[in-house]
Structures are given as structure tokens and as C-alpha cells.
Amino acid sequence: MPKKYGIHRKSILVIDQYYFPEPFRVTAICESLANKGYEVQVVTGTPNYPEGHFYSGYGHGQRVDETRNGVRIHRCPILPSKQGAVNRVLNYYSFVIQATRFVRSKECVTSSGKPFDVVYVNQTSPVMMGEPAIAYKKKYNVPIVLYCLDLWPDSLVAGGIRRKSFIYKYYAQVSKTIYQKMDIIVLASRLQFGHLQNNMQIQQDRIRYIPQYAEDIFSEVSNNVKKPRPDHINLVFAGNVGKAQSLDTIINAAARLKSEPVSFHIVGSGSELDRVHQLTRQRQVNNVIFHGRKPLSDMPDFYAMADAMLVTLQADDLLSLTLPGKVQSYMAAGKTIIGAVDGEAQRVIQESKSGYCGPAEDDETLATNILKFIHTQDKQKFGENARTYYERNFSEKKFFAELEKIFDTVNL
């Protein structure tokens, strides 16, 4: 087992359906842990997010096993998500089946041939990615730490599933069963504690709070923030374009501001991108620019040219409990944030004094707040406040100190 500075580090089996080259922070987390001396093995799927098609050079038996920056990676053969609910469900369950099969095999052990010390589930969607971890726990009697980034079953509501439907009720029971089998559940938002305790019957002493951090590449932007142009404003939305992100709010706000010196830049892709394109054409909005999905290495250029960053979410009681990871990235870069969000994200923006924020899905208030920003004299103050708040609350150093403490002390 790897050692660093004479310290014995645990071995960690990471379960996450999404990993490099897909745009998820889990890659940076795993590589940082490996650099700190932990032995890290990732069990993931064949990369196809967010477009739903296998990345070039992957799939069909290519690059199933490899080591990248000290992290061993095993990519399970899965069905690509493509488009539509049926394909998405097949995608989810194909990973669960294949990952469970792999973790039960003799191949899923440390470099010394022993079982891993702890299983770490980086749980976005679906919650069922916890199933392979449970299978490994049953076989080797090791604890599971789950970082809950998407609350289930309530993440389904953002995808159009009604709470009174059979599907929602079924996955409510599935989620409860999985969450109750975790030894420690880590949350990125304090507002989510009540949901796990009240709806999932998780004891308080099994819940921890560790907010997400942003990659170093965004902190580098804050050291070279450009001075806003007095004659034109560039607003940037960066990230997944799905139902939960409510891009309609941005497009409708842009339509209200056609005559203003402002451009809206959408950097990202996802299941709603085509429909959002269509909405833009229908509304004859000519101040929105779609850049598509870009690699992480390109993102500093978009952040640097932005006078302010945008964050929007659907209006939903439980969705409002989350804090989108882009908020930390925006703050790390020292950028002003203009939001149309409720709950935790709104609280953070207001508490940090990093910009303006109105209710989720309220495009009229979003347009009004953009106008306020356009006419604000000291625009850079918002970005300075954002960076200060980030360093105090969301730093990478603080994240890993808390996460390592859990790994080093967790027991069954």
C-alpha cells in the first residue's frame, strides 16, 4: 500500500458511474487522494456523459483498465444513455449490474491482493450506484462512505417525474434502502440534513457536512481578473444544460434585454440543449451565444472574459436544498454571480455579497438584476467578495482535511 511521509494510508475503492474524461470533480478528488498516498481504485462506466454517446477511443473494449495520475481505473461496459427516459434507465442499470459483477470478482482488490479498507461512493445520479458498494461491503465487511451530491428520489422531480407517481414512490423506497446501508453519508449542503433524517430515517451521527471545492484552474482565474468593459457586458453560464438547470429562465431574461449592451454565453451541453436552441430561435433572441461543451482546460478563458456568471435552477422545494458545484467554481475564480435560484444557493450568494439573486424561474427578476449589475459602478467588489467567501468556506484544503478524517476513522 502506498505510503507518504511515513504515514500509513488506507486503500479506497471508489464507485462512480462517471469519471475522466467526463466533466466531473470526482477525477480531481481521486487524483489528489492518490497524490496524498492513498491507494485508489475507481470503478466507473464507459464515458458517454452528457451527450449519451461513447467518447472517441472508449467503448467496445477500449481502455477498460488503465492507470491515470496514480489512480487505477476500471471502466465497466454499459449502455450509452442517448436520449429518452428508457435509454437513461437502461444506462443506469447496466452500470449497476456490471459494476456489481466486477466488485464481486477476484480482480477488485488492492495491489497487494487484499480487500480495500473503505468504499467511497461519489453519488450523483442515479442513487443505484450505491448497490455495487453494498455488494463489496457484504463480501469483505468494509465500511462505505457516500458523498450525496444528488438527493434521491427528489432528483427525479427535476426530470419531470411527479411525486405522487408510482415511479417516484418506488425509487423513494429504493433510495431509503440504499442510504440506510451507508455507514457515513456526506452532504454538500447543510439544508439537506433534515431530508435525510426525516424522510430517510438516517441518524444524525452518520451524517457529515463537507461542501464542494473548485479545481485549482479556477483559482488561477482570480489572479488575473479582467477589468469590466464599460460599453458591453458578457454573462456566462457554464455547466450541464438539463431540466434542473432551467435554461429557459436565461433565454427569457435575454429576450427582455435585447436592446441592452449584454451578451449571454452558454458553455455546456446536455439533454435540454436542442430544446433550448429551439426556444432561442422561437423567441428571436439574438444576444445568446452557444459554445457547446468545452474541456476543463478551456474554461478559464470563458471565465476570464465574463463580467459575471449565471446560475439558475428549477423552482422545487428539495432542489433548493442543493448548492450547484458551479457556485464554488464561480467564487474561486473571483467572479460576480447573478442567480435565479432558491434555498441554499440563494443564501450563499446573498451571504457572501457576491452579486444579485432572485427566485428560481423568475426571468423578470433575473433581467432586473442584470440591469442593476450593468449600472453598478464598483462591479469588481462582488468578485472580491466571492473569492474571500470561497477561501473561508469552500477551500480545497478544508475539503480534504474533512474527507481524510472520515476515511481514517470510519468503522462499521
Side-chain angles (χ1 to χ4, degrees):
M1 187 180 300
K3 295 182 179 180
K4 195 168 186 178
Y5 311 120
I7 300 174
H8 177 82
R9 297 292 195 183
K10 287 189 174 182
S11 54
I12 305 171
L13 175 63
V14 179
I15 309 291
D16 192 332
Q17 184 168 339
Y18 314 101
Y19 197 77
F20 177 87
E22 294 166 310
F24 286 87
R25 191 168 284 118
V26 64
T27 302
I29 292 173
C30 291
E31 292 179 357
S32 293
L33 289 170
N35 187 55
K36 292 173 181 289
Y38 292 89
E39 179 175 354
V40 182
Q41 160 89 64
V42 174
V43 178
T44 187
T46 308
N48 69 106
Y49 180 93
E51 285 87 356
H53 301 282
F54 292 144
Y55 284 40
S56 177
Y58 296 86
H60 311 293
Q62 301 178 84
R63 302 176 75 169
V64 172
D65 292 288
E66 67 174 336
T67 298
R68 182 178 186 273
N69 295 331
V71 178
R72 289 164 53 205
I73 306 167
H74 176 79
R75 297 186 175 89
C76 300
I78 63 174
L79 297 172
S81 60
K82 298 181 181 178
Q83 296 292 325
V86 173
N87 286 322
R88 192 175 304 115
V89 169
L90 293 173
N91 168 256
Y92 288 166
Y93 279 102
S94 64
F95 173 74
V96 173
I97 293 169
Q98 294 296 336
T100 300
R101 180 180 299 170
F102 177 75
V103 301
R104 285 175 173 166
S105 73
K106 296 180 180 179
E107 298 177 60
C108 193
V109 290
T110 66
S111 57
S112 62
K114 297 179 180 180
F116 289 90
D117 295 314
V118 61
V119 184
Y120 173 65
V121 183
N122 194 73
Q123 186 247 305
T124 50
S125 288
V127 71
M128 292 85 76
M129 69 175 68
E131 294 284 4
I134 294 169
Y136 198 83
K137 176 180 178 177
K138 286 181 179 179
K139 183 173 183 177
Y140 293 110
N141 198 35
V142 297
I144 307 173
V145 176
L146 180 142
Y147 195 2
C148 180
L149 295 166
D150 285 353
L151 275 175
W152 270 61
D154 298 281
S155 291
L156 293 171
V157 176
I161 303 298
R162 293 178 298 171
R163 285 195 171 88
K164 293 183 179 180
S165 67
F166 169 79
I167 294 175
Y168 181 91
K169 292 178 180 178
Y170 171 77
Y171 281 107
Q173 188 58 50
V174 169
S175 303
K176 185 176 181 179
T177 300
I178 291 173
Y179 287 140
Q180 288 187 343
K181 291 181 179 180
M182 302 297 112
D183 296 285
I184 296 291
I185 297 179
V186 182
L187 298 175
S189 167
R190 291 188 189 276
L191 294 184
Q192 295 173 334
F193 273 61
H195 173 75
L196 282 184
Q197 291 177 263
N198 299 330
N199 298 337
M200 299 290 142
Q201 280 75 59
I202 306 299
Q203 296 177 343
Q204 185 176 356
D205 62 0
R206 290 168 54 201
I207 307 175
R208 304 287 189 276
Y209 168 67
I210 308 179
Q212 296 185 79
Y213 71 97
E215 293 86 347
D216 288 341
I217 196 168
F218 295 110
S219 295
E220 294 168 5
V221 176
S222 69
N223 298 323
N224 190 29
V225 176
K226 76 179 185 65
K227 186 176 181 180
R229 285 172 50 188
D231 58 330
H232 195 86
I233 296 295
N234 286 303
L235 304 176
V236 174
F237 172 93
N240 184 47
V241 182
K243 288 186 177 180
Q245 287 71 39
S246 186
L247 268 291
D248 289 23
T249 308
I250 294 177
I251 303 305
N252 291 331
R256 293 176 179 273
L257 300 172
K258 289 181 180 179
S259 61
E260 298 295 333
V262 58
S263 294
F264 295 78
H265 301 265
I266 309 299
V267 187
S269 62
S271 60
E272 287 285 286
L273 184 60
D274 289 343
R275 192 192 61 77
V276 173
H277 266 290
Q278 184 178 6
L279 175 64
T280 305
R281 291 191 294 269
Q282 288 175 346
R283 303 234 31 203
Q284 297 182 338
V285 180
N286 56 11
N287 55 354
V288 176
I289 304 165
F290 292 92
H291 298 272
R293 187 174 65 87
K294 299 294 181 181
L296 180 63
S297 58
D298 288 357
M299 294 312 297
D301 290 337
F302 289 98
Y303 277 56
M305 71 104 164
D307 297 293
M309 308 295 290
L310 299 171
V311 56
T312 52
L313 284 175
Q314 282 184 325
D316 178 79
D317 289 343
L318 284 166
L319 192 59
S320 71
L321 302 182
T322 64
L323 181 64
K326 61 169 59 68
V327 172
Q328 282 93 331
S329 298
Y330 293 172
M331 288 185 156
K335 308 303 293 190
T336 298
I337 304 175
I338 304 177
V341 288
D342 298 326
E344 180 74 349
Q346 185 179 101
R347 182 192 68 79
V348 167
I349 295 170
Q350 293 175 342
E351 185 175 275
S352 62
K353 299 180 180 179
S354 57
Y356 298 102
C357 191
E361 298 188 34
D362 187 341
D363 58 271
E364 182 178 1
T365 301
L366 178 60
T368 298
N369 284 333
I370 291 170
L371 284 174
K372 287 181 182 178
F373 177 70
I374 290 174
H375 297 294
T376 296
Q377 295 300 312
D378 189 9
K379 292 181 174 62
Q380 289 181 288
K381 184 63 177 177
F382 290 125
E384 293 169 1
N385 291 343
R387 179 63 194 181
T388 298
Y389 190 89
Y390 175 83
E391 291 173 347
R392 290 176 180 171
N393 297 276
F394 303 133
S395 71
E396 180 177 350
K397 181 179 180 181
K398 184 175 182 179
F399 175 92
F400 280 103
E402 295 297 323
L403 188 62
E404 289 181 69
K405 186 187 300 183
I406 293 173
F407 285 151
D408 294 340
T409 60
V410 65
N411 294 302
L412 290 174

